[in-house]
Amino acid sequence: MKFIKIFSVLLVAGLLFTGCQNTINKENENKTVITMPIMDSSINVQVGTEPTNLDPAFAFKASELTYINHLFSGLTTLNEKGEAVPCIAESWEVETDKNGVETYTFKINKNAVWNDGTNIKASDFVFNFKRILDKNLNSPVAYQLFPIKNAVKVYNGEFKADELGVSVDKDENLVIVLEGKCPDFLQRLTLPAYLAIQEKNVSEAQTDWSLDITKLQVSGKYKVSDWKKGQNISFEKNDKYVLADEVINPSVNFIFKYSDEEVKEAFIQNKVLFTTELPLKYFDSIDNTSLNPNMVSPITATQILEFNMNSEITKDKSLRKALSVSIDRNSVVEQMKNGYIPATSLLQKSFLFNGESFAEDLVALTKNKDKAEELLSGKSYTVKFLTDDNTAHIRFAEIVSKMWEEIGVKTEIVSLPLNEYNKEREEGNFDVIMTTIFNDTAYVDNYFVNFLNNSENNFIGFKNKDYDKAIVKSYGMEYVDTFGDDDKDKAETKDDKKDDNGADKEAKTDITNKELFSFAHKLIVEEETAITPIFHLTINYAVNKNLTGYTINNLGAIDFSKAIYVPIQ
C-alpha cells in the first residue's frame, strides 16, 4: 500500500493574497468536516449503535455488552487468563452433594457499594435474577440463569419465583443452588443476567430506571457522565468501584453512528482512536504510521447450516453430507467480504477452556466435489433454503446455492421478514436454515445444547440418545431419557460402545469433557451431518497504534478501563 501523507497548504512566495485564499477555500470544499462530539480529555471510540437502555437484562449484542461491562460488575471478574477472581464477592465456598448438585455460598465484600455509597447486598442479586426470569420482561439473556435450580421452570411459569434456587442466608451471604454441575459457573457470573441492580433504583423510577443517568446506580468501573441522544455517551471512572485501583483510564467517550467518510477522517486525524464502524472497503485507503486499520479479533460465534431431519428431502443423510462437502468455505468468506474465518470445526481454535482448545478439524468441512457427486449417486434434488430478509443472509444463501448447483442440486431460496421467518422455522417449513451459534460462556456447551432432544431451539428435529447422554454427562449429571415411544426409532444409539451416560467408561475427569464434546462434535457434524459449520465470526476494527491496554473478550465486548493513549510528539 502507498503511504498517504497529509500536507498543509504551502504558501509560495509571490502568490497574491487573494489567490492563496482561493486555493485554501477550494481545498476545504473537498475536506470532510468532523461534526462528531469529540472530547479532548477522553479516549474517543466507536463500538456500535446507541444503546436503547442501560439495563443488563437486555445486553445481548457486543456493543450492548461493552457499555454494560463498563458500568456493572459481578460477583466475580476475569483475570488476564480468563480465570474467575473475586469482585463484589470477596470469597465463596462450594459444596457438592451425593447427586452432584453444587451449592455456592458467596460472601459479599463490605467495600462493594453502588455509586451513591450504599452497600451492594445479596438481595440485589436475588431481585435481579427473579426479575430477569419473569417472562413478561422478555429478557434475551434469561437463558444464562438456567443452570440455577428451578430456573427453567420459573421462567416457564411452572414454579413461582420464590422457588428459584437462590436465597440470602442469616449472615447476608448469597446462596445459589444449581441443577447439577456447571464447570464454568464462576466465569458465568460475569454475564449480564448474573449482575445485580439496585432494587430501590428500579422501584422508584417513573419510567425505564436505566435511562435517567442522574439517578442511575452502577456497581462497575465507570459511571455515566453524559448522554446526548443520537450522538454519544460518556463514562467517567467510578471511584466507589470495589476494584477502582485497577482502573487506569479515567474516562471514555463512546460515539455513535456517523457517516463513513467522517469516521475515516476522524480516525486519520487521531480524534477517534478505536472504531468498529469503518467498513472494510475503507481500510486499504488508510495508511499512516500512527494508524492500524484492518485488525481482526475472533469471537465465539459460528455461522452454520442446519438440515431439517424431518423433511422428505433432507432426511436423506447422503444428501446432507453431499451438501456439506460441496461448500468451499474459503470462497464463501472471500465473496461475503466480511473478514470472517472459514470453519474447519464447530468451535474456534482460539477459544480455550482451562487453557485448552476443544476445536477439532473435521474432513466433512473440506470441499470435495467428487465425494459430493458420489454421495448423490446421480439423484436430483431441490432444497428449500429458508432465510430472513437480511441482505447479507440472502447473499450468503445465493453463494451457497451456486456451489450446490455445481453438483446438480437446485435451491429454492425463501426470504421472509424476521417474524414470518421465525414462524416458518418453528413449524419446520424448510429443508435448510442458516443460524449463528453464540457461545457466551467460558465453557463450550452452548455450541451443543440447542440440539438436545428436549431443547426448544432444536428446530431441525435432531434426535440421538448418544449425543444427549454425552452432553448431559459433561455436566456431571445423570441422564434422564427424554425420548417418547414415537421417537425410539429415530434416536440412534451405540450403547454397546458407551456407558449409561454416552461416555467412555474410563472417562471421569476434565479431560473427559473434552472427549465427550469431541464425540458429540463428530456425531452431529460428520457422522449425521445434521449441521455444518461455514465460518467463524470476528470483530473487525481500526485502532490507533498508540492506543494500548484495551481488551476484547470472546463475545466481542471491548474493555477500555486499562487503555492508554500516548500520542507521538
Side-chain angles (χ1 to χ4, degrees):
M1 289 189 291
K2 299 179 180 179
F3 282 93
I4 299 176
K5 297 181 179 179
I6 303 175
F7 293 95
S8 60
V9 178
L10 296 176
L11 300 180
V12 182
L15 277 178
L16 295 175
F17 177 78
T18 55
C20 179
Q21 185 67 46
N22 288 337
T23 303
I24 293 174
N25 287 341
K26 185 175 181 180
E27 186 165 308
N28 284 341
E29 286 177 2
N30 297 323
K31 189 173 182 179
T32 302
V33 177
I34 297 176
T35 62
M36 291 178 170
I38 301 295
M39 296 181 62
D40 293 336
S41 59
S42 291
I43 289 178
N44 295 281
V45 300
Q46 286 187 299
V47 298
T49 57
E50 180 175 14
T52 54
N53 59 48
L54 296 174
D55 188 339
F58 297 96
F60 188 72
K61 296 187 297 185
S63 58
E64 296 165 343
L65 290 170
T66 296
Y67 301 131
I68 292 301
N69 288 350
H70 282 83
L71 298 174
F72 294 89
S73 291
L75 293 162
T76 62
T77 188
L78 304 181
N79 63 17
E80 294 178 354
K81 297 180 180 179
E83 300 166 331
V85 294
C87 189
I88 291 178
E90 69 175 40
S91 62
W92 54 82
E93 296 178 353
V94 58
E95 296 180 356
T96 306
D97 69 14
K98 62 181 180 181
N99 296 317
V101 174
E102 295 179 332
T103 298
Y104 285 82
T105 302
F106 296 93
K107 183 179 181 181
I108 306 300
N109 192 323
K110 293 181 179 179
N111 294 320
V113 297
W114 300 104
N115 56 290
D116 66 0
T118 59
N119 288 99
I120 298 173
K121 302 176 182 178
S123 58
D124 291 323
F125 288 93
V126 174
F127 167 75
N128 202 31
F129 294 174
K130 292 179 178 179
R131 169 178 165 269
I132 288 176
L133 288 171
D134 182 346
K135 233 173 185 177
N136 292 322
L137 186 66
N138 199 27
S139 167
V141 299
Y143 71 92
Q144 294 173 353
L145 296 169
F146 287 176
I148 298 176
K149 185 177 180 179
N150 296 334
V152 175
K153 292 181 178 179
V154 170
Y155 181 73
N156 289 328
E158 300 172 39
F159 280 13
K160 294 180 180 179
D162 289 342
E163 295 178 87
L164 183 66
V166 295
S167 60
V168 180
D169 69 13
K170 60 181 178 61
D171 297 318
E172 296 299 315
N173 296 318
L174 175 64
V175 180
I176 303 178
V177 183
L178 304 186
E179 287 284 2
K181 178 183 178 182
C182 186
D184 66 334
F185 185 66
L186 291 174
Q187 285 96 333
R188 289 182 189 236
L189 296 174
T190 62
L191 294 174
Y194 287 95
L195 302 177
I197 60 174
Q198 190 186 65
E199 183 174 358
K200 178 183 177 183
N201 195 190
V202 178
S203 61
E204 292 182 355
Q206 298 298 315
T207 55
D208 187 329
W209 66 274
S210 70
L211 295 180
D212 186 350
I213 64 172
T214 63
K215 297 180 180 178
L216 178 64
Q217 296 304 310
V218 297
S219 59
K221 305 166 186 175
Y222 293 86
K223 57 185 178 181
V224 183
S225 56
D226 190 27
W227 188 354
K228 293 184 177 67
K229 300 296 183 180
Q231 298 184 53
N232 68 307
I233 187 168
S234 302
F235 296 169
E236 63 182 13
K237 181 177 177 179
N238 177 15
D239 291 329
K240 292 185 171 62
Y241 171 50
V242 69
L243 301 177
D245 290 345
E246 297 182 7
V247 178
I248 297 173
N249 176 26
S251 62
V252 57
N253 181 37
F254 295 94
I255 301 171
F256 306 139
K257 187 68 177 177
Y258 280 76
S259 72
D260 296 340
E261 288 294 339
E262 186 170 349
V263 173
K264 176 184 173 182
E265 188 64 29
F267 182 66
I268 290 175
Q269 293 188 28
N270 300 324
K271 294 183 181 296
V272 169
L273 303 179
F274 183 107
T275 178
T276 60
E277 299 302 288
L278 192 62
L280 291 176
K281 66 180 181 180
Y282 286 89
F283 284 5
D284 287 340
S285 65
I286 298 175
D287 199 350
N288 185 298
T289 54
S290 68
L291 306 178
N292 200 6
N294 203 11
M295 298 290 288
V296 176
S297 180
I299 61 176
T300 50
T302 302
Q303 200 86 5
I304 69 171
L305 292 178
E306 299 184 29
F307 300 111
N308 190 344
M309 308 292 280
N310 296 321
S311 161
E312 288 300 317
I313 304 297
T314 47
K315 70 179 183 181
D316 184 335
K317 186 189 297 187
S318 294
L319 171 61
R320 300 196 302 268
K321 289 179 177 290
L323 294 176
S324 176
V325 298
S326 66
I327 298 173
D328 184 338
R329 289 156 176 80
N330 289 297
S331 178
V332 171
V333 169
E334 289 174 3
Q335 293 183 63
M336 291 292 290
K337 301 183 184 302
N338 50 22
Y340 294 159
I341 302 171
T344 58
S345 168
L346 180 58
L347 287 73
Q348 286 235 29
K349 292 182 179 179
S350 60
F351 175 64
L352 305 179
F353 178 65
N354 287 342
E356 188 174 24
S357 173
F358 278 43
E360 190 171 11
D361 291 350
L362 297 181
V363 175
L365 304 184
T366 302
K367 181 179 180 180
N368 188 333
K369 184 179 178 182
D370 292 339
K371 180 65 175 177
E373 292 175 339
E374 177 188 330
L375 287 163
L376 293 177
S377 302
K379 297 178 183 178
S380 60
Y381 297 89
T382 299
V383 298
K384 179 180 177 180
F385 194 135
L386 179 66
T387 179
D388 59 26
D389 55 0
N390 179 285
T391 303
H393 295 169
I394 296 172
R395 172 65 177 149
F396 171 79
E398 291 172 343
I399 291 171
V400 171
S401 66
K402 287 182 180 179
M403 295 179 179
W404 288 344
E405 188 177 346
E406 293 177 3
I407 60 171
V409 175
K410 297 180 181 179
T411 308
E412 176 194 2
I413 299 175
V414 178
S415 60
L416 300 171
L418 187 58
N419 60 332
E420 295 179 31
Y421 163 80
N422 288 335
K423 181 179 179 181
E424 290 293 292
R425 181 183 62 171
E426 291 171 9
E427 294 179 355
N429 296 326
F430 64 89
D431 295 320
V432 185
I433 54 174
M434 176 198 71
T435 55
T436 303
I437 298 180
F438 287 93
N439 193 66
D440 55 4
T441 70
Y443 203 37
V444 298
D445 56 328
N446 272 14
Y447 285 103
F448 298 94
V449 293
N450 284 348
F451 305 105
L452 293 172
N453 178 51
N454 61 349
S455 169
E456 61 181 17
N457 294 318
N458 187 356
F459 300 114
I460 60 175
F462 176 68
K463 299 177 183 295
N464 190 289
K465 188 178 292 187
D466 286 339
Y467 179 91
D468 285 19
K469 286 181 176 180
I471 303 305
V472 172
K473 177 66 176 177
S474 74
Y475 285 98
M477 298 168 63
E478 184 176 349
Y479 173 73
V480 177
D481 195 340
T482 61
F483 292 85
D485 293 337
D486 294 339
D487 295 329
K488 296 298 184 183
D489 60 328
K490 299 178 183 177
E492 301 180 18
T493 63
K494 296 181 179 179
D495 289 338
D496 56 320
K497 297 181 181 180
K498 300 288 174 180
D499 67 14
D500 290 340
N501 287 300
D504 294 330
K505 293 181 179 180
E506 69 276 9
K508 300 298 178 184
T509 63
D510 280 343
I511 194 65
T512 301
N513 286 349
K514 182 175 181 178
E515 293 175 355
L516 288 167
F517 285 117
S518 173
F519 167 78
H521 184 212
K522 291 177 180 176
L523 193 155
I524 195 169
V525 175
E526 200 159 55
E527 185 176 328
E528 294 299 322
T529 317
I531 64 173
T532 187
I534 306 299
F535 53 75
H536 304 299
L537 277 63
T538 58
I539 293 291
N540 297 282
Y541 63 95
V543 61
N544 191 292
K545 287 183 178 179
N546 299 315
L547 180 69
T548 60
Y550 66 90
T551 58
I552 304 176
N553 71 11
N554 64 305
L555 298 176
I558 307 153
D559 184 354
F560 294 101
S561 64
K562 296 183 180 180
I564 299 173
Y565 175 61
V566 182
I568 297 177
Q569 301 298 327

